[in-house]
Amino acid sequence: MLAAGSRGLFGGDRQWVRLPGSPGRYARAVKATATVLLCALGWSCAPGADAPARFQVPRPELADVDDQVRLQLERQATAVETLLAGDRASAGERAAAIGELGRLYHAYDLSTDAELCYREARRLDPSRPEWHYYLAFLDQVAGDLEAAAASYRRVLELIPDDSAARLRLAEVLARLGRSSAAERLYSEALESDRESAAAHRGLGLLAAEAGRHGDAIDHFESALASQPEATALHYLLSQAYGARGDRERARRHAELAGNGQVAFADPRVSSLDRLAVGAGVRLARGGVALTEGRTGAALEEYRRAVAAAPGNAAARTNLALLLASLGESGEARAELQEALRLEPSNLQARLALANLLAAAGELDQAIDSFDRLLELDPDHAGARRGRAAARLALGDGVGALPDLRAVAEAEPDDGATRLRLGSVLQESGELDDAERHYRAALELDLTPAESAAAQLGLGNLAAARGAFELALDRYDAALELAPELTPAAYNRAGVLVRLGRQRAAAAAYRRVLELEPGRTQARFYLGEALLRSGEPSSALAEFEAVVASDPHHEGARLGVAVCLERLGRGAEALASLEESMRSLPRSALLAHRLALTLASAAEPSLRDGARAVELASRLFESRPSAAHAETLAMALAEAGRTEEAVELQSRLVAEAAATGDAARLARLRAALARYQRGEACCPPPS
């Protein structure tokens, strides 16, 4: 969004027209007819009437014009009046002076006054092609195509190889429906310049109108090859390919379509730009250039606007906004700071500066800048959004809530803010309120990515409440909207685990790893899902990959040992545990598994009751728990310390009986019976 002050040089609601690839980028749509103008000036309108004795130099209203511009226009008009007041200047000299004044008016889009000057210059010196050309240009803009065609033809009579006039005339004739004549002119243009994008575009349009879509595509492709920045050609190619039934190419070009227009060299029109000195016209031209995708030209115009009026805060703000969009944040910041020095109440400059500071990671300074803006305008939604985002980036969700609530209340249709508010409320534990805002956001105009984020949030809320099937539906909806939304894929896999669908969970974790190959925890969970699915060999590969990338991952090291045991590779499992304990000597998880293996390995030769007792005792003393007590009882039984094993196991049975856990109670009683018979926990296989 550009700063105020770029609508036009003279303010007000000036209406502009633009013909793609043609003149009129800055001209007004309103144009009085030549007859009315001549009569209004006291000239005879009757056929054959004598020419007026003296030309009245037009003097446009300049009350709202920059001082620099007003002085330029008044001095030039006065100089012409002085020249005409004397009798020494020849007709050619008078024509040149009046025509140059017309060019100056034209440069500032004073089209009516420019036309008066051009007509008089042409009357005085009809041999000069530029006056015919400029009149044709203005007539083309105003829609008087017959007059424009006549004037362009006169230019070509005077200069047969004038390429700009040829292209302009071809376009006018094409708009008049005289396709054959237009095609001939475009073809002549290609004879002198085989890469003329304007000629190829014109021929492409004529071919498309005639239903020759293959020829149209060839010409549009040639034009695009010459001017890749003319992204509007992609739209024409999309239409042509669509007409031929090539939907894939039509779709691809439609996605690439932009505002960049075909351009061609036109020294006469280009020279007008160099005449204007005011900031207003530079801002207007910069805005037009931006809409056409000519970023470089827009930047040059904004720089000229600042040079013309260094004290114009709007000019500096526009320049800064464009610089920021191009990544030139340092220069943009300097321009914004100067704009604020000139106009401290410039809200747009202050907002832009705050956003630049936030983007640079200077969050505290950004918040200060947002605060100052909100002092000027307490209801400024952009400032509240920015301040909330900065506070969220600092991890201050509570501090961001008031701004997010205020924006959501003031602009209830702002789906993005409702989405962010839902997320913050969810993190704050206000789940019902979070759900309300997520649901409201989904009813609004969101991008697919934002809708996916809302579905993800609702899925997370459902999972937190234990509604796993509902959560799964939400995650599926999110992934349908945004197939590469990794958090949704990751959480979906976790829900499948909770639902006991281990094979589906494994497939889901594989999808997560496709999206984010370096996500170690997803690979670990994949290993767990594979192990639960009865695929220890596949699980082993995943656990080993996790250990390779993260040697301190206790769970993966434990997984390796368990997989080896399931595969009947007990010795390797024990060796793996021993090595893991050397790497992570303080790991209670691994110490417990090692004690358990030493007490109950399927291969008796791998058991070591005494060492198992040592490990299990130390573990139980430091971290007393039922699981550790059960392992200690196993170790005591394996070491032949039966009475101690029976005593400890009896206590465990009594505790289990009190909890009502029937399955665990049965298992503990079976082990107690073995200990009472003097047996170890796990007899060797027969």
Side-chain angles (χ1 to χ4, degrees), residues 386-451:
R387 189 167 68 178
R391 284 178 170 156
L392 287 174
L394 288 170
D396 184 10
V398 173
L401 270 176
D403 282 329
L404 292 174
R405 289 188 190 276
V407 175
E409 182 178 350
E411 300 182 10
D413 292 338
D414 183 350
T417 294
R418 282 187 175 272
L419 177 61
R420 179 171 286 182
L421 178 55
S423 176
V424 175
L425 288 167
Q426 183 176 356
E427 292 176 3
S428 301
E430 300 180 48
L431 303 188
D432 290 341
D433 209 10
E435 181 175 0
R436 179 172 63 84
H437 284 288
Y438 281 141
R439 289 183 179 278
L442 285 173
E443 298 297 322
L444 300 172
D445 186 18
L446 298 178
T447 66
E450 289 170 338
S451 294

Side-chain angles (χ1 to χ4, degrees), residues 452 474-486 488-489 492 515:
R474 292 294 188 182
Y475 294 142
D476 286 340
L479 290 168
E480 184 175 350
L481 290 162
E484 297 187 359
L485 185 60
T486 306
R492 178 179 182 273
L515 297 172

Side-chain angles (χ1 to χ4, degrees), residues 231-270:
T231 52
L233 288 167
H234 286 292
Y235 174 77
L236 298 177
L237 280 165
S238 172
Q239 297 293 100
Y241 276 118
R244 292 192 69 183
D246 191 338
R247 294 183 179 179
E248 177 57 29
R249 283 195 175 93
R251 181 193 61 78
R252 188 165 66 248
H253 281 289
E255 291 175 350
L256 296 171
N259 296 320
Q261 300 290 340
V262 169
F264 61 89
D266 191 338
R268 295 185 186 93
V269 174
S270 298

Side-chain angles (χ1 to χ4, degrees), residues 447-461:
T447 66
E450 289 170 338
S451 294
Q455 293 287 6
L456 171 61
L458 287 169
N460 292 342
L461 286 173

